[in-house]
Every structure is written in structure tokens, then in C-alpha cells.
Amino acid sequence: MALTRQRNLRTGMTVWDFYKNPVISGACLRRSTRADVVIVGAGVSGALIAHALTEAGFRPLILERRRRALLGSTAASTALLQFELDTPLTALGASIGHSRASKVWLASAGAVNDLRTATHRLGIDAHMNTRPSLYLAGNRLNAAGLKREVLARQKIGLPSEFLDVRALRQHFDIDRAAAALSHGNAEANPIQLAAGFLAAAIKSGARLHAPHEVVDLQCSKRGSTLTTADGLEISARHVILSTGYELAKIVPPGDSQVISTWALATRPQPRALWPQKALIWEASEPYLYARSTHDGRVICGGQDGQFADSGKRDALIPRKTRQIERQLGHLFPHIDPRAAVHWAGSFGASSNGMPTIGEIPGYPKCYAVMGFGGNGITFSMLAANLLKAAIAGRKDPQARLFGFQ
């Protein structure tokens, strides 16, 4: 029996299939072995964590159940690299306390900056560009609610401005009641981004082995043993489960749930794009989001549904695509909203939009990364920082914010 709950994480051709992406394959293990750290999962989380650990002097062993790295949900990501959580700062403060909510949001902003800095330092060509983001008034926050949200962000030092209907129309040619404008976010090609970090980790001593399905994990204070479907055993001092939305069965699910989502990408139309190529999303439930690519395509998605059945999800692709096309055309009448490609995927969500990152209760030195919501890559960077500190034996004050409660 597999350690993780296997899911069909995505269906359809994604926008990233238009571009030349690196292929990173791992050699099969031929015999049992040991490592200081074993990372289960070679998506963007595993890649960022592996690189962070190599920088700290470790040589992690990475196991991936698919035939090569980056074939899971990373390939379906739309890669809006934002510090804003799905849950507004004001709403999160009301839920978990304003002091803790402020620290969570600041940690997310720090993770975006760390990711941008590391990407540029390593010379990774993933078409990463800094972008502002627009949070449009919707059924979750109206104009008055957005004004309170902007004030809350400004109070803790986050760069945010309130745009009324006139300013929004003047500066971004968008006809909505209001928006919160934030600065310092980014966009990237998620496959190229993850591949760059994974390649850097391997160059620095990390080992990637695939395909290997982990079917058992035994953890103790003295160390852990992972058993693969082909009967190999890997001994490790530390184990990190970065299996994305295929959650490991030993991980307490908490209030998490798997959500279905749909997205499309248009033909290239660089002259039709909106000012500053801002990342766009709505203060609505469910929300629409949009961004552009380096060659002028528009990526747009949303229409999220609270179910995990991939058959039901995929059957809805034609209808959801038409709905997203209509919404995109309404938002930007001068853009051709017709889909050149469309796809469906699954992702995890928590009730407050926060990730869970830390040691699994009852499993010493075994850690899980559960990067929920629309900030998956941002939370992956946060996880890399937190787990590097934990495995190196350093206390990180942010660890208590995101650990299992």
C-alpha cells in the first residue's frame, strides 16, 4: 500500500507545454541505502527544500514515484507568486488574532523576496518578473472592506494602496468598484523555476532517484526507515514529506480539503495586455485570477469546486472553460479570451488559507509540507527556510506559526 493518497492531479495540456522545459530524471536505486535526509516528492517543494539543505551542507536523497521530477501539480501551477494569502489579513486576524496574522503575512512576504533573490543569485532563467497585484472588490470584500484591508496591510509595513473605481479605471482600465494594489509580487514559469533549483541541488550533492514508490515509513527518535514498493529500504535521520496534495496517510489532515480548479491560456497577444501586467485576482469566493506570460498570453483560472473526484472535475472542463472565457472577456473587453489550451487540476485548501509545515505529531524527525491555497510556491519557499533551520538544529521563531497545532 502506498504511503501517500495517489491522485490524478491534473488533466489536459497546460500553458507550460508551449515552452521548452528542462527534463530532470533520476536513476533507480539498485540496493538499500542511507542518507541524512530523505525528501519524498520531487515537485517545486522538494526542489526548493533540497536546494536549501545543500546550502546548509546536507546531501539529501530525493525519492519521486513518477518516472521523473516535476510531473505532478507543479506542472499545472499558474505561478502567481504572491505574498497575499487567500484569506484577507483582516479576516485572518479575526480568526487567529491580529498579532499572529500579521506575522504570517510578513513571513509570506519574506518568502516571496527570498525566492526572487535565490532565483536571481542562481541565474535560473524561469521568466521570473516582479509584478504588482490587484485584489478586486467582490462578494467577499466590497470597496469598504478593501479599504480596511489596505489600512491593515499598511499598518504592518506591507506595500499596499487603495484604488477607488475612478483610479482603477484610469490606471488599469478595469471597471470594478475598487481594488487593493500591492507591490513586490512576481510571476514565473513554475517548471523552469523548480527545475533550476533541483538542478542546483543535484550539482551540490543531492541525489534524485525515480521512479520509487514509498509504501512504508517507520519513524523513531533514532531515525527512520522508508520501504519502497520494490523492496528497498532507505535509512534516514530525517524525512521530509513534500508530496503536495497527495497527502501522506500519516499526516493529520486537520481541516484541509482537496479542491478542483480550472484554467486556460489564450494565444499570444502582447499588445492587448493591461498596464504593468499586474497579477489579478478577486476578493470573491470562488475567485477569478489572471496573469500574463513573457510572450503575451493571458492565463486565467478559477471556478473552484470543493470536491476531489478527478472524473467529475474533468467532465466539467468544457463548461468551466466557457465560463472562464466569459469572465475574462467581461474583465478585459479588448482581449481575445478564447482558450488556446485549457486544463484542470487539484490542490489543497485550509479554512484559513495557511500552510502547515513542521514535524508530524507522533513521528519524530519526520516533517510534512502542506502548502495550501493559491500560494503554493510561496509556501514552498517558506517551508525550505523553516525545515533547513529545523534539520540544522536551529530554532526559527516562525516555526510555531505554521507547525501542527
Side-chain angles (χ1 to χ4, degrees):
M1 183 178 292
L3 175 68
T4 59
R5 299 171 176 86
Q6 296 187 17
R7 299 185 189 278
N8 180 5
L9 293 175
R10 60 186 176 91
T11 301
M13 179 180 178
T14 78
V15 64
W16 314 118
D17 292 319
F18 283 120
Y19 311 116
K20 185 176 181 180
N21 295 307
V23 174
I24 301 183
S25 301
C28 285
L29 279 170
R30 297 187 180 277
R31 56 184 176 271
S32 297
T33 187
R34 62 184 302 110
D36 276 342
V37 187
V38 171
I39 300 171
V40 182
V44 65
S45 293
L48 290 170
I49 293 166
H51 174 259
L53 289 174
T54 58
E55 286 198 319
F58 296 96
R59 299 180 64 188
L61 185 153
I62 309 162
L63 296 174
E64 169 57 47
R65 74 174 184 84
R66 296 175 174 85
R67 65 184 184 277
R68 64 174 189 266
L70 311 176
L71 290 179
S73 56
T74 298
S77 172
T78 50
L80 284 76
L81 311 178
Q82 300 174 255
F83 64 77
E84 297 101 324
L85 276 70
D86 287 347
T87 302
L89 176 58
T90 48
L92 189 61
S95 172
I96 67 172
H98 295 291
S99 175
R100 185 183 176 199
S102 298
K103 292 175 183 177
V104 168
W105 270 64
L106 290 171
S108 184
V112 173
N113 288 332
D114 290 344
L115 179 60
R116 179 169 34 234
T117 299
T119 301
H120 292 320
R121 176 169 51 82
L122 292 171
I124 297 173
D125 183 14
H127 297 288
M128 176 178 277
N129 293 295
T130 298
R131 299 287 187 226
S133 66
L134 284 171
Y135 190 35
L136 305 178
N139 61 28
R140 192 169 191 181
L141 290 178
N142 59 15
L146 280 179
K147 187 172 286 188
R148 289 191 294 270
E149 176 71 11
V150 166
L151 290 174
R153 296 181 188 184
Q154 291 174 341
K155 188 174 181 180
I156 64 172
L158 291 173
S160 189
E161 305 171 50
F162 176 77
L163 302 182
D164 62 18
V165 61
R166 183 175 179 180
L168 183 57
R169 189 180 296 123
Q170 178 182 353
H171 294 293
F172 290 95
D173 198 24
I174 294 175
D175 189 17
R176 289 290 181 92
L181 172 63
S182 295
H183 302 278
N185 288 311
E187 65 185 22
N189 176 317
I191 301 177
Q192 294 174 357
L193 183 70
F197 278 93
L198 187 55
I202 293 170
K203 185 177 180 180
S204 297
R207 294 173 285 164
L208 172 63
H209 296 288
H212 284 290
E213 178 80 58
V214 177
V215 295
D216 187 50
L217 171 61
Q218 298 295 323
C219 297
S220 72
K221 292 182 180 179
R222 300 179 61 183
S224 300
T225 301
L226 302 96
T227 304
T228 67
D230 43 359
L232 299 177
E233 290 188 348
I234 301 98
S235 301
R237 291 179 58 205
H238 304 270
V239 174
I240 298 173
L241 303 177
S242 59
T243 56
Y245 310 125
E246 296 180 305
L247 297 180
K249 296 170 185 176
I250 66 170
V251 177
D255 68 349
S256 67
Q257 57 184 322
V258 177
I259 304 294
S260 290
T261 191
W262 295 265
L264 62 81
T266 71
R267 63 174 177 84
Q269 44 190 318
R271 295 183 180 179
L273 298 180
W274 52 93
Q276 300 182 53
K277 301 177 183 177
L279 310 179
I280 294 172
W281 57 308
E282 295 178 315
S284 293
E285 187 65 41
Y287 62 80
L288 188 78
Y289 56 88
R291 56 159 285 196
S292 61
T293 62
H294 70 280
D295 58 349
R297 298 179 187 274
V298 177
I299 300 173
C300 189
Q303 293 287 323
D304 298 350
Q306 296 184 0
F307 60 88
D309 183 85
S310 59
K312 179 180 177 182
R313 178 196 71 198
D314 296 348
L316 289 171
I317 289 176
R319 179 159 67 90
K320 294 291 188 177
T321 299
R322 291 191 296 270
Q323 290 174 336
I324 294 170
E325 287 175 335
R326 285 194 296 269
Q327 289 178 294
L328 177 59
H330 180 73
L331 184 63
F332 293 114
H334 56 284
I335 282 177
D336 178 1
R338 291 174 295 178
V341 290
H342 48 69
W343 65 99
S346 298
F347 68 94
S350 63
S351 62
N352 58 18
M354 288 175 53
T356 300
I357 302 163
E359 190 175 67
I360 303 168
Y363 293 84
K365 297 184 180 179
C366 292
Y367 308 86
V369 179
M370 302 161 69
F372 294 127
N375 303 70
I377 296 177
T378 300
F379 293 156
S380 295
M381 187 71 236
L382 179 62
N385 292 336
L386 293 177
L387 296 182
K388 177 174 70 173
I391 290 173
R394 294 186 288 104
K395 289 190 181 254
D396 189 316
Q398 293 182 346
R400 294 181 62 185
L401 294 173
F402 304 102
F404 288 87
Q405 303 301 311

